[in-house]
Amino acid sequence: MSVTFEVRVPVAAPAELVWAAITDWPAQGEWMPGTVVVVADGDGRTVGTRLFAFTGLADVGFLDVLEIVDWQPPHRCRMRHLGRLLHGYGEFTVEAGGDGGSTFVWTEVLRPPLGPLGHLALLLLRAPSEALMRRGGRALAAMCVRRAADSGQSQTRR
């Protein structure tokens, strides 16, 4: 019993620039609400890399252990959730657009603990979680637009 969360965010920046931003693990806190990510094992750029992601406020939150299981730059990174609380996978996809921009797709397919009770809890949390993911995606898009402008790669459409 899994629950899928997904957001799609247009970004007025090239796919390669978006890819670089989403896979800059230590910088994810700049756009991912309440999250700090560190590379725990590996280089952060290959299958088998392990990441620790703490999500919360101050010391209240949870640690998610992730392992990169698919790495296809600049388009797709899939991570398996190995922590105590979250199981399933997360995926970042970058779709190149014909106008030089791109679309960032953030998908989480989660299997909750506690059986049917956990499934119900995830269903109830889907809308607010997707709202936070969308907020993060918009922050990522704004950051990428700034970086594109700084490097002369900005897009006027979108």
Side-chain angles (χ1 to χ4, degrees):
M1 269 194 308
S2 61
V3 177
T4 301
F5 302 73
E6 184 173 284
V7 297
R8 301 177 63 84
V9 179
V11 184
E16 293 78 12
L17 194 148
V18 177
W19 176 261
I22 63 174
T23 59
D24 181 354
W25 308 114
Q28 279 192 353
E30 294 177 32
W31 60 271
M32 192 178 288
T35 301
V36 176
V37 180
V38 297
V39 176
D41 184 36
D43 62 5
R45 302 276 181 258
T46 54
V47 170
T49 292
R50 294 247 172 148
L51 308 167
F52 291 162
F54 180 81
T55 300
L57 296 171
D59 291 338
V60 179
F62 67 95
L63 179 67
D64 191 11
V65 178
L66 301 137
E67 178 182 22
I68 296 175
V69 296
D70 190 16
W71 182 262
Q72 297 179 31
H75 301 293
R76 185 170 108 151
C77 177
R78 180 180 277 204
M79 299 147 288
R80 181 174 38 212
H81 291 280
L82 302 171
R84 290 184 178 173
L85 184 62
L86 295 178
H87 299 279
Y89 73 89
E91 185 172 286
F92 294 152
T93 305
V94 181
E95 300 170 352
D99 61 356
S102 55
T103 300
F104 169 58
V105 183
W106 181 359
T107 305
E108 297 285 346
V109 179
L110 303 175
R111 292 184 317 276
L114 306 176
L117 183 61
H119 186 257
L120 177 61
L122 272 187
L123 288 174
L124 293 172
L125 290 171
R126 182 174 14 208
S129 295
E130 286 181 339
L132 281 174
M133 290 167 65
R134 197 168 294 105
R135 178 176 155 209
R138 286 192 303 262
L140 170 73
M143 182 177 76
C144 288
V145 167
R146 284 191 306 275
R147 289 182 180 180
D150 290 346
S151 67
Q153 300 176 35
S154 64
Q155 305 301 309
T156 55
R157 295 179 56 195
R158 286 206 179 224

